[in-house]
Structures are given as C-alpha cells and as structure tokens.
Amino acid sequence: MIRRIDLRGRALSRTELLGVLPRPEIGVDEATRSVTPILADVRARGAAALRDLSERFDGVRPEHLRVPAAALTDALAGLDPVVRAGLEEAIRRVRAVHAAQTPQEHATTLGEGAVVRQRWIPVQRVGLYVPGGRAVYPSSVIMNVVAAQEAGVPGLAVASPPQKDNGGLPHPTILAACALLGVDEVYGVGGAQAVGMFAYGVAGSEPQDGAVLCEPVDVVTGPGNVYVAAAKRLVRGVVGIDAEAGPTEIAVLADETADPGHVALDLISQAEHDPMAASVLVTPAVELAGAVEARLSDLAGATKHSARVLQALGGPQSAVVLVDDLEHGLAVVDAYGAEHLEIQAEGASELADRVRSAGAIFVGPWSPVSLGDYMAGSNHVLPTGGSAHFSSGLGVHAFLRSVQVIEYTRDALEEVAERIVAVADDEDLPAHGEAVRGRFR
C-alpha cells in the first residue's frame, strides 16, 4: 500500500537526500507544458476561451461567467445553519490570527533632519482561487479572503470551477461563503484558465459579460492542483503570487511514543484530497512504522474516498521513511520541506522550534492537520513541492508591499554629501555625485 525508504546508516549529502525522498511523477515543471497554451488562449480570446475551456475540462458551458448577485444571496439563504455556524467560527478564528499579523509602520531618525519611514501598502486588487474539482472548499474562501481583507485590499475577486449540477456556477457552499464575507465579484472559472483570467484580464464575449468581463489583478493567491500551481509559476512577474500551492502533502515526524492510529488517520486525511497527494511518515521506530502500515490497510479501504486514498498512498509521492533517530529525522523533514509537518514525538515543541523548512508545523498529538484546515486560525494555503524552502504560507504579508519613504533636510543631505560623491566616483557613476554636489553650488 505504501512503500518504505530505509535511510538508516546512510550519510547522504543534501543533493543525494533530495534525490531519494518521495515526490510525484508529474511536478510543476512537467505541468507547465500543458498549461502554457491554455494561458495563451485565455489572453488572446478572453471570455470565449474561458467558456470553451470550461466545456472541455468541467463538462459545462457557463452562461454567466461572473456569478449574478442573486445567486450569491440565494446560496447564503439556503446554507445549512450548522455549516453556517462552522464557517462563521472559522472566520472569527482566522480573522483574529491574521489581524495580529499586520506589521506596524515606523520611522528611523539617522540624524537631525534625516528620516526614513517604513510604510506597508496593500495591493489594489487580488484574484483569489478556490479549488472545486474533487471536493468543495468553502474553507479556502475564508483563508484567501480574510487574509486579503485584513491586509486592507480594496478589490477582491474570487474564482472557483463551474459545476454542471449548479447551472455552470460554482458550488452553492462556495457562493455562500463569499456572501458571508461580503465578496460580490465571483467567477465560475476553474483551473489554469482562472489564473490566466486574473493575470491578464479578459474581454467579454457575450452581452451578459460586458465589454470587460474581468479586470487584471495585482496578486493571485490560493491552492489548487499541479496545473494551477504551474499556471501561477508562469504568470509570476505579470502578477505576484503567494506560493506554488499544488497537490497537498503531509509529513509526520514520529517516534515510538506516537499513536499509530492517529498517524494513520492523519496520513489518510491528506491522501483523500487528490491521487497525487503525498503522505510521508519519517520515523526511527520500526515497530511504529509497521503498526501504522497495518492501520493504513485497515482504514484506507473503509473511508469514503478509498480509491483516491489508495492511489495516493501507493504513489511515488508517499512513503514510510526509516531514519536512525529523531536528529536524523529532523534533517530529513527539513530537506523534504513539507506543506504540513506534524511532530508526534517526545519533545515535540523543542523539535518544532528547530525546523527550518515547512509550510506549517503541527505540534503534538492534539494538533492534527485537519485542525489547521478549518479551525486553528492559521492559514491552510501553504507552499508545496519543496517550495517551503523559500516560500511562506498565505497571510497578510502576501498582500502588502513594503515601501520606504526618505525625507532629508538640506543640512542632513549636506552632512553626507561628500561621502556620497566619494562612493559614486568609486563606482564610476559621477552624475550620481553631481546630483548631490550641484545642490550646494
């Protein structure tokens, strides 16, 4: 069901370790070849291309690419009260955590009349992607929208795949979540084509679209499959992105104190997202590894999405990795750079503080990834595929730009003028120095 990789007694370099750790066969690099023509089509033909691509990939040709306001109102009115209460509690928790992330502006005085101020300015418009192929993710609406709102972004647009069973509109629960959060610009567009729509903007092709269906955005965020991640990579530079949040992955660093049932349940919980989802256990405890494998055999076939789970657990992206000890295990999970890293081991808090590469870290047996997916208050839009080595999870910072404001008086500039000239001349840029010296002639 799930393969083993035995790293015990092997002193591997970083390059060698990266070569043996589990990864999917189709990565973002491979997916870009399929995505490039999709983005070009959206850029060239606008809304007409979006309708053709929806018919091709989603099995429905939407009449309304932008969701009518009445559909948002109706979706919220029809939302199950129990689900609504759950979403409202998630919103409250996520908003509290993200409100605390907002950086403070400050000023540094370097001398009399010499001041540098630090400002944090929100981008003007964002495109927030919410997947909706194999499952419905109102939680992703919350994670995207609340972070952008707390950053102070004035313009928010959401896109989610059109559903054949909902008349070509996104799933009603997605629409209801948007209505709960006050978002009224929502599109029934999925996949790489949604990323292209946000990045380039699109002209309308039908009277109901208007001349311009969707204006371009400054930043695109949100999770998705490997093709969405590839599209975000390709438009980076045209727009900003949060990270390459592709097929989900979980790594569990565990020792003999871990409950094998808990570990197995957590591996399965992420495997049910996608056949390309990665579930990885890293442990020095051979008995735990065997017990987890046994529990996976018992549980995977009984879960609702068993076919998907079994495919994910049996894929090249999933494995049980045996290591010499927790110190070795820590090196392995750091090299892997998991989207979600659980630590179920003695001294879990101390180990967590030593991790250097992970999208989010879940400490101890009572902090499962499922908590972070919904109710922890943290954000579940996280870097995947090893991009946690250089990218962060979604937060307020993804929508803010750091801008420095420099204000010097005449006397303050004169105090450093000759030093500026000396450095400028040394760099053979004399006009730089003249721009300063000329002010004092």
Side-chain angles (χ1 to χ4, degrees):
M1 176 179 295
I2 188 168
R3 66 188 175 119
R4 279 195 184 188
I5 299 173
D6 193 345
L7 299 182
R8 291 174 296 174
R10 300 176 65 183
L12 301 179
S13 68
R14 177 179 169 82
T15 300
E16 291 169 331
L17 189 52
L18 291 173
V20 299
L21 289 175
R23 291 294 182 197
E25 288 178 340
I26 300 177
V28 174
D29 287 340
E30 291 79 13
T32 57
R33 290 192 285 272
S34 300
V35 167
T36 297
I38 292 173
L39 295 177
D41 193 22
V42 171
R43 191 171 194 177
R45 298 196 300 121
L50 295 178
R51 286 189 169 90
D52 289 347
L53 291 163
S54 292
E55 191 169 20
R56 173 182 166 191
F57 293 118
D58 303 304
V60 61
R61 190 175 185 87
E63 177 185 0
H64 295 281
L65 289 168
R66 178 165 177 172
V67 176
L72 294 167
T73 303
D74 291 347
L76 184 56
L79 184 63
D80 183 327
V82 176
V83 176
R84 177 168 181 160
L87 294 178
E88 288 174 337
E89 178 63 15
I91 291 168
R92 184 187 72 80
R93 289 169 176 260
V94 172
R95 197 174 296 284
V97 170
H98 288 69
Q101 293 178 354
T102 306
Q104 298 300 308
E105 297 190 357
H106 64 270
T108 303
T109 300
L110 296 149
E112 185 70 28
V115 179
V116 177
R117 290 189 292 122
Q118 181 74 60
R119 293 186 60 200
W120 295 94
I121 304 174
V123 298
Q124 291 301 293
R125 177 169 164 78
V126 297
L128 312 174
Y129 184 70
V130 176
R134 293 184 175 87
V136 181
Y137 295 103
S139 55
S140 290
V141 176
I142 295 169
M143 302 295 168
N144 276 286
V145 170
V146 171
Q149 288 176 336
E150 290 303 314
V153 177
L156 283 74
V158 171
S160 191
Q163 305 292 313
K164 191 174 183 179
D165 296 338
N166 197 36
L169 300 180
H171 192 280
T173 311
I174 298 293
L175 302 182
C178 290
L180 265 180
L181 289 160
V183 178
D184 60 8
E185 186 180 351
V186 184
Y187 297 91
V189 180
Q193 56 268 31
V195 176
M197 175 186 73
F198 283 146
Y200 305 124
V202 294
S205 64
E206 302 289 343
Q208 63 271 28
D209 299 339
V212 177
L213 172 69
C214 179
E215 295 283 1
V217 303
D218 301 312
V219 172
V220 177
T221 72
N225 61 23
V226 69
Y227 300 101
V228 170
K232 288 167 73 177
R233 176 182 289 185
L234 289 169
V235 300
R236 188 173 196 166
V238 177
V239 292
I241 67 169
D242 51 343
E244 293 179 5
T248 192
E249 53 196 34
I250 178 175
V252 182
L253 177 61
D255 65 8
E256 67 280 355
T257 66
D259 184 318
H262 291 178
V263 174
L265 288 168
D266 292 347
L267 295 175
I268 289 171
S269 74
Q270 296 308 296
E272 77 171 339
H273 276 288
D274 190 297
M276 291 177 64
S279 295
V280 178
L281 169 62
V282 179
T283 182
V286 178
E287 288 187 5
L288 175 73
V292 170
E293 288 165 346
R295 294 297 287 144
L296 288 174
S297 295
D298 293 338
L299 296 169
T303 193
K304 178 179 180 180
H305 302 295
S306 59
R308 193 186 307 161
V309 168
L310 290 168
Q311 189 174 347
L313 292 176
Q317 70 274 16
S318 298
V320 173
V321 182
L322 298 177
V323 292
D324 293 317
D325 49 33
L326 286 176
E327 196 69 26
H328 187 194
L330 187 62
V332 169
V333 297
D334 258 343
Y336 182 68
E339 176 191 20
H340 308 100
L341 173 62
E342 288 187 357
I343 302 181
Q344 299 190 37
E346 188 174 354
S349 294
E350 292 75 15
L351 286 167
D353 288 342
R354 296 174 59 200
V355 172
R356 291 293 173 265
S357 291
I361 305 168
F362 300 80
V363 183
W366 307 111
S367 305
V369 169
S370 297
L371 173 67
D373 282 341
Y374 301 109
M375 292 288 166
S378 57
N379 204 296
H380 77 203
V381 182
L382 301 167
T384 63
S387 60
H389 292 303
F390 51 83
S391 296
S392 303
L394 184 62
V396 165
H397 56 273
F399 305 103
L400 295 174
R401 290 162 296 138
S402 169
V403 178
Q404 292 180 327
V405 181
I406 300 93
E407 188 171 0
Y408 272 50
T409 63
R410 185 185 193 283
D411 289 346
L413 177 61
E414 188 173 26
E415 184 179 343
V416 295
E418 290 309 312
R419 290 187 175 136
I420 294 171
V421 170
V423 175
D425 287 347
D426 185 68
E427 292 187 347
D428 194 26
L429 296 170
H432 282 64
E434 279 301 309
V436 172
R437 184 178 277 159
R439 284 170 158 77
F440 299 103
R441 290 195 178 118

